[in-house]
Amino acid sequence: MYFGLSFSRVGVDFRSLIAPVFIRVISLNFQTSIVKITCQFEQEIERYTLINKVSTGIKRAKASDRAENSNHPPESLLDFTPLAIYCNEVLTVFNELRLCAPIALAPTVTEILEASLETVCRNILSFYRQEQQAFTASERECFVRFCSCFAYDLIPYLQRCIHFIFPPTTIANHLGINVLTLQKHGITFLRQKKILEAIEYLLPDKIESVIKQVGEMNVAAGSTTVATADGADNEAEADKTEQVAGVVKQEITVGGEQ
C-alpha cells in the first residue's frame, strides 16, 4: 500500500487494484479453515458419548452470568467436548482474521460461519437419530442440555465475536444505513432460526418454562395468602397478571437479542 501511495505522486496509484487480491486471499483462507473445523467437529461428534456425563453448570452459574456479555467463551461449553473444541478452533481463526479484517468481508464471513453452524446442527441431529433408541433418561437429559448449549450459548457467543471484529455501527456508517436496516438484511447477523431449524423440535422452550415457573410461584403464594376483601383479590390478580406479562416480555426480548 505504501508502494502504491508513492506511485500516486506520478499518477500511478494502483492501490485500488491490490485490495481485491487481499480480500480474495483472506476470504479463501477463512473459508478453508472453517471447512476444516466443521469436518473436525463431525469426527468429534461421531466419537462422542453421553455416558456418565455430569453437568457442572451449577458450580459455574455465577461466573457464566458475569461473562454473558463479555468476550470470554461460555463456561457451559466445558461440559461438551465437541462444542468446546469447535469454539476454540473458530476463535483461533477469528484471532487471525481480526489482524486484517476488511469491512468488505463482513457478509462473507457471516455466511461462511452460518453455513458451518448449519452443518454442525445437522451433525447433532444425525448423532441423535443414531443414538436416541439407546438413550437412558439421564443421557436424554444430557443431550437436551447439549442442544441448549449449542443454541443458547455457542451461537450467541459467536455472534458477539463477529460484531467484535465487524462492529455493526461501523458497517452501518460505511453503508450509510442504520443498524436496524443492517440487521434486517442479515449483514453480520447470524440467522439463528435458520441455523437451528434441524433441531428446533429438540430444544426446550424457554418462554414456556418461564410461564410455568411463574405460574407455580403464583399458585404457591396464593395458597398461603388469605384475602380480606373482594377488591383486594382483584388487585392481587391484576398484579400477578402484570408480573407474568413482564417476565415473559423480558424473556422474549432476551431471546431476540440472542
Side-chain angles (χ1 to χ4, degrees):
M1 289 300 178
Y2 290 109
F3 186 62
L5 181 62
S6 299
F7 267 73
S8 65
R9 298 177 180 178
V10 294
V12 193
D13 188 354
F14 55 85
R15 287 177 296 172
S16 59
L17 301 176
I18 296 179
V21 177
F22 279 86
I23 292 175
R24 183 171 63 253
V25 172
I26 295 173
S27 175
L28 180 61
N29 290 340
F30 181 81
Q31 184 175 14
T32 302
S33 299
I34 293 297
V35 169
K36 182 179 179 181
I37 294 170
T38 307
C39 294
Q40 182 180 356
F41 177 85
E42 184 176 359
Q43 297 173 359
E44 291 291 337
I45 197 68
E46 288 178 355
R47 298 192 297 263
Y48 189 63
T49 177
L50 296 173
I51 299 176
N52 298 327
K53 295 294 181 181
V54 180
S55 173
T56 56
I58 297 178
K59 298 179 181 179
R60 298 192 301 270
K62 294 183 179 179
S64 298
D65 292 340
R66 289 194 299 267
E68 182 177 358
N69 296 321
S70 68
N71 295 324
H72 298 285
E75 294 188 0
S76 59
L77 294 174
L78 296 176
D79 291 332
F80 308 105
T81 305
L83 295 181
I85 295 176
Y86 178 84
C87 182
N88 284 337
E89 296 296 333
V90 172
L91 290 182
T92 301
V93 177
F94 274 157
N95 285 331
E96 295 176 356
L97 174 65
R98 71 187 182 93
L99 298 177
C100 181
I103 295 179
L105 275 181
T108 304
V109 168
T110 306
E111 292 173 0
I112 293 174
L113 184 60
E114 185 175 296
S116 173
L117 290 171
E118 289 179 9
T119 303
V120 168
C121 192
R122 288 193 294 269
N123 290 333
I124 294 175
L125 180 61
S126 298
F127 173 79
Y128 173 75
R129 289 175 175 174
Q130 293 175 3
E131 304 291 338
Q132 62 171 330
Q133 294 182 352
F135 277 171
T136 62
S138 60
E139 290 173 352
R140 188 174 298 275
E141 180 183 355
C142 185
F143 178 77
V144 172
R145 287 191 286 104
F146 184 98
C147 294
S148 299
C149 182
F150 172 73
Y152 304 130
D153 293 335
L154 179 60
I155 294 179
Y157 173 69
L158 294 180
Q159 177 68 87
R160 293 198 299 271
C161 291
I162 292 176
H163 287 168
F164 180 78
I165 300 174
F166 303 105
T169 53
T170 302
I171 305 295
N173 292 335
H174 183 75
L175 297 177
I177 58 178
N178 55 37
V179 177
L180 293 178
T181 305
L182 199 70
Q183 184 176 4
K184 180 180 179 181
H185 290 83
I187 302 176
T188 72
F189 285 88
L190 296 172
R191 293 173 293 181
Q192 186 172 6
K193 185 175 181 180
K194 183 175 182 292
I195 294 172
L196 299 175
E197 186 176 358
I199 62 171
E200 184 178 5
Y201 70 100
L202 298 173
L203 294 172
D205 194 331
K206 284 190 171 184
I207 296 178
E208 289 185 0
S209 300
V210 172
I211 294 175
K212 182 178 179 181
Q213 181 179 3
V214 174
E216 291 176 351
M217 292 172 60
N218 290 336
V219 171
S223 62
T224 58
T225 303
V226 179
T228 58
D230 293 339
D233 291 341
N234 294 334
E235 292 179 0
E237 290 296 328
D239 291 339
K240 292 176 184 178
T241 303
E242 292 178 358
Q243 181 182 4
V244 173
V247 173
V248 174
K249 182 178 180 182
Q250 181 182 4
E251 185 65 19
I252 293 175
T253 303
V254 173
E257 293 177 355
Q258 293 177 346

